[in-house]
Amino acid sequence: MVLTKFVEVGRVVKINYGPQEGRLATIVEILNDKRVLIDGPTTGVQRQVIPIRRLTLTKFNLKGATRGARTGVITKAIKKSDPFAQYAQTLAAKKVAKKALRAKLNDFDRFRVMILRKRRSALLSTQLKTLKKSTGGKAQTQAKGGNKKK
Amino acid sequence: MPAKKRTVRIGNWYKSDDEKVHFIRKRKAPRPSKLRKIVPGQVLILLSGRFQGKRVVFLKQLKSGLLLVTGPFKINGVPLKRVNSAYVIPTSTKVDVTGVNATQIDDDYFKRTQAQRRKNEQGFWAKRGELTAEQQATEKTRLEGKRNTQKSVDAALITAIKKTQLLKQYLGARFTIGKTTRPHELVF
């Protein structure tokens, strides 16, 4: 297996331990085999030294980040090409966002979600039935999305 | 200067038997409990009693401190009812109660009448409903009156509830906890 994600200047990382857990930042400088300097001016991460052990590498890179670049330079580079927005499109990021949204639901919202899921599954089952009928029982089940909410 | 000695007053005599003094309530009148941020129109979840888990609409706090609450009756079978705020979970859902007139209802509305007390005092095995004809007639009119008050209070509420989608069904459903629900993590 070829290694694709490297600890390098400009690598977008996710902090997965500590008070900043869950936030993104970029690697600005590599100090030794265990620590790096990261900075995330747009994501609320203060410029800091952090052990690599506390990070997960993402597949994105910040273009224009040079070794030891100051926060201002990093911010400019982010303005030009925002890797954090790209990261937000990934499935992993979306799952995290969905989980956060679900945690915020209040009692009425939870009830509404339950009703909508029931309706969707009812729609799906009727679709499935018609598909099965039309292809004589050997249906390739392609679930048709109903009212997807949250 | 010598320090003032703390002396304990001993009475003139000691009581011969250990008298048991029953708990004497120091405060005669009930003090209305402080409402913990419950607003008229808010949906509450009842936690105890016959209507456990039912979602009801809060109308106002009565003088005794209890909360006046209604189903509405047509939606979930909960009548105008007094409820202790300790046995209630307030949700963040609110219904518009500007058209609802519950000013007539107070603690006296829920007071048991003579006829009711007589019914109750017969005991479990006695034949219920041993009321005179006159008492039965007054009971009938009293219940009619109650039904009418319920209807008049609920009418404005139900029109307000119908405006939000699925709110009627929400109020008709009971709140339950399943295997995977974590009540301490739920946001109400």
Side-chain angles (χ1 to χ4, degrees), chain A residues 19-143:
Chain A
Q20 315 263 14
E21 193 174 336
R23 300 213 197 178
L24 296 173
T26 18
I27 294 180
V28 163
E29 178 141 28
I30 300 170
L31 303 173
N32 60 23
D33 67 328
K34 293 209 169 59
R35 283 175 194 261
V36 289
L37 179 68
I38 60 167
D39 197 356
T42 53
T43 52
V45 177
Q46 250 219 345
R47 197 179 172 88
Q48 62 191 277
V49 172
I50 192 169
I52 294 172
R53 212 162 165 249
R54 295 194 184 179
L55 306 171
T56 9
L57 306 173
T58 66
K59 64 182 180 186
F60 299 104
N61 257 304
L62 174 61
K63 232 178 112 175
T66 47
R67 186 180 78 87
R70 299 265 275 272
T71 311
V73 176
I74 301 281
T75 323
K76 272 202 201 141
I78 290 174
K79 278 211 185 116
K80 271 206 182 155
S81 69
D82 193 354
F84 300 120
Q86 291 177 11
Y87 179 76
Q89 302 298 322
T90 57
L91 202 58
K94 284 188 183 164
K95 276 192 179 171
V96 168
K98 206 175 196 182
K99 203 172 180 193
L101 187 56
R102 288 214 179 124
K104 272 198 243 152
L105 292 179
N106 73 22
D107 197 42
F108 188 26
D109 289 334
R110 267 176 266 129
F111 179 80
R112 271 190 277 186
V113 168
M114 185 258 293
I115 296 287
L116 289 171
R117 290 179 77 195
K118 278 178 141 187
R119 285 189 191 162
R120 181 169 76 152
S121 92
L123 279 174
L124 286 176
S125 66
T126 48
Q127 288 279 342
L128 187 60
K129 274 194 189 147
T130 51
L131 274 176
K132 276 191 173 166
K133 261 193 192 167
S134 64
T135 58
K138 288 190 196 165
Q140 283 282 321
T141 55
Q142 283 192 341

Side-chain angles (χ1 to χ4, degrees), chain A residues 103 105-108 110-111, chain B residues 55 92-93 165 169-170 187:
Chain A
L105 292 179
N106 73 22
D107 197 42
F108 188 26
R110 267 176 266 129
F111 179 80
Chain B
R55 295 166 171 125
S92 48
T93 317
Q165 268 224 336
Q169 288 85 329
Y170 172 64
V187 168

Side-chain angles (χ1 to χ4, degrees), chain B residues 2 59 93 101 107 140 174 181:
Chain B
L59 296 176
T93 317
N101 184 6
D107 287 300
K140 218 176 167 189
R174 276 201 209 230
T181 44

